[in-house]
Amino acid sequence: MTIGLALAILGAALAVGLAGIGSSLGVGISGEAASGVVSEDPEKFGKALLLQALPSTQGIYGFLGAIMAIQKVGLLGGGEFTITPEIGWQVLFACLPIAIAGLTSGWLQGKVSAAGMGVIAKKPSESGKPIIFSAMVETYAVIGLLATILLLNGITVS
């Protein structure tokens, strides 16, 4: 394994790992709040589950970024590419937007979702509003994924 390939793999690992940590934190935080709501009124399970699931998307975005990175360096599909250290660094840095945005937005989206559980508990007819508030946080994970995709597409590997 070359240093370039190792750097590219590190970038892919950071994308999936950090975004996955953000999702885990977010789903955990919102799940704690959802459990409280459902313990008082089991009929609110569906609405609470939807709000809890929202922070899980960052992990999926990180996984997509990682797949694109390892495909770029030829680890998928059996390509025989020469990955120089310069290309490896490029791939690693290209993976950072979704890694960082996924970590922070997953965690913070979980906090917003947990706060929204109060709306589900007290005013179930208004349950769409906390979903919108939570989805606003996700916007930045989407931007991170788009930046990663654009950066990876700009790297030329021969």
Side-chain angles (χ1 to χ4, degrees):
M1 177 184 301
T2 65
I3 294 295
L5 184 58
L7 290 169
I9 291 171
L10 176 61
L14 288 172
V16 73
L18 292 178
I21 289 170
S23 281
S24 297
L25 290 170
V27 170
I29 292 167
S30 59
E32 290 175 10
S35 295
V37 170
V38 173
S39 70
E40 294 290 325
D41 185 359
E43 295 295 319
K44 294 175 180 166
F45 174 76
K47 291 178 180 177
L49 179 63
L50 175 62
L51 206 51
Q52 182 197 6
L54 286 175
S56 65
T57 55
Q58 282 81 357
I60 296 168
Y61 299 156
F63 182 68
L64 288 174
I67 292 292
M68 291 190 68
I70 61 176
Q71 184 177 22
K72 186 70 164 182
V73 297
L75 290 177
L76 292 178
E80 295 284 332
F81 299 121
T82 300
I83 307 302
T84 64
E86 291 81 16
I87 292 173
W89 281 112
Q90 291 173 9
V91 171
L92 188 150
F93 284 114
C95 290
L96 290 182
I98 187 53
I100 296 168
L103 173 65
T104 55
S105 72
W107 172 45
L108 295 173
Q109 189 175 31
K111 294 176 81 170
V112 172
S113 292
M117 295 295 176
V119 176
I120 290 174
K122 294 180 181 173
K123 294 186 177 181
S125 63
E126 301 288 329
S127 63
K129 292 177 181 171
I131 292 171
I132 293 170
F133 292 143
S134 184
M136 293 299 294
V137 180
E138 183 157 337
T139 302
Y140 298 96
V142 172
I143 291 171
L145 176 61
L146 291 175
T148 291
I149 290 170
L150 292 172
L151 289 168
L152 286 172
N153 282 337
I155 299 170
T156 302
V157 178
S158 54

